[in-house]
Amino acid sequence: MDMYLQGFLMGLAYVAPIGVQNLFVINSAISQKRVRALLIALIVIFFDITLAFACFFGIGLLIDKLEWLKLIILLIGSLIVIYIGQGLIRSKSSFKETDTNISLAKVITTACVVTWFNPQAIIDGTMMLGAFRVNLAASDATYFILGVVSASFTWFTGVTLFVSFFRDKFNDKVLRIINVVCGAIIIFYGIKLLLSFYKMLKG
């Protein structure tokens, strides 16, 4: 139980910082019906959990050994993140229009991108989760990763429900502002990743 709680707390520390994943979930909770927002959260949780497993069991080692793979992830990830950001800024969504405006395929693709094509998420996950794995016995590792999984589920569903229940405080103008702000933050984040790619390429 102690290992489970450690994993849960570490999982919260891993997913809680506001990033592309959280912005995507928050924006969905504001602009979509509650049931659909929860579905989006569950899809994000699925990709987050698969990434956590990958980081926990050593994807970071592979990336560290293959410099070209790291460069590819940085380049493709940064461009897609920028694309998502500009899409948010250009969107003219309203509460009436956004209940069904995202296809399930697009939701799955976006959730995958903001998780698996997010170099920072991979690096952070590897450093936080991978480092713990080295020092854990096999039996403890199982409880630890279960705690991480529980944290991901608790955080994203909690954020979705909280924002969704208070979405009546928002109107179309506020939603537009949130889209622009979130989009700008995501673009800024994507540009930083692109600069990291350039520095690695030059270095």
Side-chain angles (χ1 to χ4, degrees):
M1 188 53 126
D2 183 53
M3 280 296 109
Y4 175 83
L5 290 175
Q6 283 191 41
F8 186 83
L9 292 174
M10 180 58 69
L12 286 179
Y14 171 56
V15 300
I18 297 298
V20 180
Q21 270 183 313
N22 281 295
L23 289 173
F24 178 56
V25 169
I26 290 169
N27 188 268
S28 299
I30 291 173
S31 62
Q32 305 290 314
K33 289 180 178 178
R34 187 170 299 135
V35 172
R36 191 165 182 82
L38 283 171
L39 173 61
I40 292 172
L42 289 174
I43 292 171
V44 170
I45 288 167
F46 169 77
F47 286 112
D48 186 67
I49 288 173
T50 55
L51 178 61
F53 271 103
C55 291
F56 191 64
F57 292 107
I59 190 174
L61 295 176
L62 180 63
I63 293 174
D64 284 338
K65 290 180 179 179
L66 302 175
E67 192 73 13
W68 60 268
L69 180 59
K70 187 184 293 184
L71 285 169
I72 289 174
I73 291 174
L74 272 174
L75 176 60
I76 296 176
S78 61
L79 293 177
I80 295 179
V81 166
I82 291 171
Y83 176 78
I84 291 173
Q86 64 86 27
L88 265 179
I89 291 177
R90 291 173 56 191
S91 68
K92 298 178 180 179
S93 301
S94 71
F95 285 109
K96 290 182 180 179
E97 296 171 339
T98 52
D99 288 336
T100 57
N101 72 332
I102 303 178
S103 67
L104 188 59
K106 185 175 181 181
V107 169
I108 293 172
T109 301
T110 305
C112 177
V113 166
V114 298
T115 304
W116 274 92
F117 285 83
N118 184 343
Q120 196 61 52
I122 296 174
I123 294 169
D124 289 348
T126 299
M127 291 179 64
M128 294 177 70
L129 303 178
F132 263 84
R133 177 67 184 90
V134 175
N135 299 313
L136 292 176
S139 57
D140 289 337
T142 301
Y143 289 107
F144 183 86
I145 196 64
L146 284 175
V148 173
V149 168
S150 300
S152 178
F153 181 84
T154 301
W155 176 261
F156 286 118
T157 54
V159 167
T160 298
L161 288 172
F162 178 82
V163 174
S164 181
F165 275 116
F166 289 99
R167 71 191 294 271
D168 59 340
K169 304 293 183 184
F170 303 97
N171 54 36
D172 291 350
K173 184 177 180 180
V174 173
L175 176 60
R176 174 64 183 153
I177 292 171
I178 290 173
N179 278 347
V180 171
V181 172
C182 289
I185 293 172
I186 290 172
I187 289 175
F188 175 75
Y189 185 74
I191 291 173
K192 282 186 66 178
L193 294 175
L194 197 57
L195 288 174
S196 296
F197 165 79
Y198 178 75
K199 288 178 181 177
M200 284 186 63
L201 200 62
K202 296 292 285 185

